Amino acid sequence: MNILVLNCGSSSLKYQLINMQDESVVAKGQIERIGAKDAILKYKPTDKSKQSITQVLEIKDHNVAISLVINTLLDKQNGVIANKSEISGIGHRVVHGGEEFIESVLITSAVKDGVRHCIQFAPLHNPHNLKGIEVCEEQLPGVPQVAVFDTAFHHTLPPKAHIYAIPLEFYKNDRIRRYGFHGTSHGFVARVAADHVGRPIEELKIITCHLGNGSSITAVQGGNSIETSMGFTPLEGLVMGTRCGDIDPALVLHLAKLKNLTVEQVDSLLNKKSGMIGLTEGKSDFRDIEDEAMAGNEKYILALEIFCHRLKKYIGAYSAVMGGLDILVFTAGIGERSPYCRNIILANMEYLGISFDPAKNEKNEFEIGTGPVRVLVIPTNEELAIARDTRKILAALK
Ligand code: ADP
């Protein structure tokens, strides 16, 4: 049984075909620059006897992009399936499920309406997620589709954690609240962590740090998300590649007045020009930033200190909220592969029961902690989590 996992963005699309018998990736790839004359199609079959493809071509829209993905998977020479019927289900990553979607669901017209309703909360993401769903309905008719929401894992946030201290009417009337994101990843690594330590997740206090281009941290108590750093949008919380994370909200007003900025300009300033790219005056990729820092460049050293300091603050706060900590998890690009950052974040945390082995940290080993708090470096796998949810929902249909 093969499940196609799709993550449709505004101008990009990532896909994986996963064989659910052994949960292996049959083929994966992505399309970048949808809408451009020089879009890029990438395809990588796992079977070494077949060839990977990288092709630059015009891809007008998501219709063309998804038909290219399907045709590549079906390709006589380098494809991995002989017939569309070998795709048993499609799992879509959907960024925002609002308060309505608290778990993954089979896509129906009512679900599409719900996803459409949430466009107000995620105008840059949900329209494209929805487009992907509609195109698949046309191109793979009859194949069941499942929506897996980035926000769903955080539906267990208690009101004291998800309601902002602004007039309550905005929550009551407009559903303005903390939603949280990266839920599929936080949920996935928390479960892997519990399995690894061999204890039921229901009795564990876990902090998961998802550190990628976008970063967030979640407190998982008893298997439920009870605090998370991203808020109404993914802008809140940690310092990120190009996003500022937490700032004094009065700064937004002050900057707008001081520099005579429009709402759109402020939005771009905080989402695209801040964070690491703002602090380093040009770089958002942590590999480049760390290279500069290791060469002794003060500006980059400071940027990384700011990033790590913010995260350390949250680890302390979330331990306080849970009244202790059993497992600290690092995941995603930086979490999985940056000994430099983990080294700073984990320093002087013995008071909390956190200590680590620098040699294991250096080698990105799975378990790097040496104290009572287990410190784990766990590769995230959002695609597999989406495929598993899709399989579960398809099984219930039978
Ligand atoms: P996304 O959030 O787009 O899924 P990833 O989880 O792949 O991204 O994380 C991307 C980030 O991880 C980038 O900032 C990249 O520089 C960083 N990264 C990847 N490999 C390393 C590494 N070896 N050392 C430090 N940072 C790394």
Side-chain angles (χ1 to χ4, degrees):
M1 175 198 203
N2 294 317
I3 302 234
L4 179 63
V5 177
L6 281 182
N7 180 354
C8 287
S10 59
S11 64
S12 72
L13 179 166
K14 288 187 192 150
Y15 65 94
Q16 281 194 9
L17 188 70
I18 301 181
N19 176 343
M20 296 312 287
Q21 264 79 45
D22 56 0
E23 298 192 333
S24 63
V25 176
V26 182
K28 64 179 177 181
Q30 62 192 73
I31 293 184
E32 288 158 44
R33 303 166 63 85
I34 296 172
K37 286 211 163 27
D38 54 350
I40 306 166
L41 164 80
K42 287 185 184 160
Y43 165 77
K44 191 168 182 244
T46 303
D47 181 347
K48 295 276 176 289
S49 68
K50 315 218 176 214
Q51 274 179 6
S52 293
I53 298 170
T54 302
Q55 207 180 345
V56 177
L57 71 174
E58 177 170 11
I59 299 180
K60 207 167 77 234
D61 54 25
H62 285 77
N63 267 306
V64 178
I66 291 177
S67 77
L68 266 171
V69 169
I70 297 168
N71 289 340
T72 316
L73 292 170
L74 284 166
D75 185 74
K76 285 224 157 36
Q77 216 176 342
N78 296 308
V80 285
I81 51 173
N83 198 295
K84 283 182 182 180
S85 64
E86 289 176 49
I87 300 175
S88 307
I90 306 164
H92 290 268
R93 177 186 180 217
V94 179
V95 167
H96 219 301
E99 289 192 320
E100 185 181 345
F101 297 109
I102 61 169
E103 58 186 358
S104 303
V105 290
L106 183 72
I107 294 170
T108 59
S109 63
V111 168
K112 284 195 293 174
D113 287 345
V115 172
R116 202 171 288 117
H117 177 73
C118 292
I119 287 177
Q120 58 179 320
F121 302 130
L124 302 179
H125 294 99
N126 272 37
H128 311 292
N129 302 154
L130 191 60
K131 182 78 194 165
I133 292 168
E134 287 172 344
V135 172
C136 285
E137 278 175 348
E138 283 166 31
Q139 301 202 7
L140 293 166
V143 179
Q145 305 197 73
V146 167
V148 179
F149 300 91
D150 243 29
T151 46
F153 181 61
H154 301 299
H155 82 275
T156 45
L157 290 179
K160 65 184 174 191
H162 76 238
I163 299 181
Y164 289 111
I166 55 175
L168 198 58
E169 64 178 273
F170 294 113
Y171 172 58
K172 289 195 294 198
N173 301 338
D174 305 299
R175 308 330 270 172
I176 289 176
R177 50 161 287 180
R178 176 182 309 286
Y179 286 101
F181 299 87
H182 291 146
T184 309
S185 176
H186 288 294
F188 179 83
V189 294
R191 275 185 290 277
V192 174
D195 288 347
H196 175 73
V197 303
R199 288 176 59 191
I201 199 164
E202 289 74 20
E203 62 184 47
L204 289 168
K205 295 168 178 167
I206 307 173
I207 290 180
T208 50
C209 308
H210 177 109
L211 312 176
N213 284 315
S215 294
S216 65
I217 175 170
T218 296
V220 183
Q221 185 162 12
N224 296 324
S225 168
I226 60 141
E227 252 297 6
T228 193
S229 59
M230 284 179 166
F232 178 66
T233 75
L235 182 57
E236 191 180 344
L238 303 177
V239 177
M240 306 179 217
T242 63
R243 300 182 203 139
C244 58
D246 299 336
I247 52 167
D248 180 346
L251 255 182
V252 178
L253 312 172
H254 180 74
L255 281 171
K257 276 190 207 151
L258 186 72
K259 303 285 175 192
N260 201 17
L261 302 176
T262 62
V263 170
E264 287 72 27
Q265 286 169 321
V266 177
D267 183 62
S268 154
L269 176 75
L270 302 178
N271 272 299
K272 299 192 179 136
K273 298 178 187 157
S274 294
M276 301 306 278
I277 209 166
L279 290 168
T280 60
E281 302 180 296
K283 291 196 198 302
S284 66
D285 191 306
F286 273 66
R287 282 163 291 202
D288 302 340
I289 298 169
E290 288 180 13
D291 286 349
E292 293 284 354
M294 285 192 266
N297 192 325
E298 291 294 336
K299 184 166 70 177
Y300 296 86
I301 294 172
L302 177 62
L304 290 167
E305 278 178 357
I306 295 170
F307 173 83
C308 295
H309 176 76
R310 178 83 52 90
L311 185 56
K312 191 191 262 289
K313 213 161 80 167
Y314 267 96
I315 294 171
Y318 286 6
S319 303
V321 163
M322 291 193 287
L325 181 62
D326 298 305
I327 310 174
L328 177 61
V329 179
F330 289 96
T331 193
I334 301 154
E336 291 165 31
R337 291 188 286 276
S338 173
Y340 185 108
C341 289
R342 291 192 307 257
N343 208 28
I344 303 175
I345 296 157
L346 295 171
N348 303 317
M349 297 278 268
E350 289 79 7
Y351 79 96
L352 203 57
I354 297 174
S355 54
F356 70 106
D357 179 333
K360 290 183 177 170
N361 179 45
E362 206 52 47
K363 285 188 268 175
N364 297 319
E365 284 191 15
F366 190 88
E367 177 139 19
I368 60 173
T370 52
V373 173
R374 311 280 293 263
V375 184
L376 308 177
V377 177
I378 303 180
T380 194
N381 195 337
E382 288 159 289
E383 291 80 7
L384 180 58
I386 292 171
R388 283 179 178 168
D389 272 13
T390 306
R391 172 178 56 188
K392 202 163 103 191
I393 287 169
L394 296 195
L397 290 179
K398 285 179 185 149

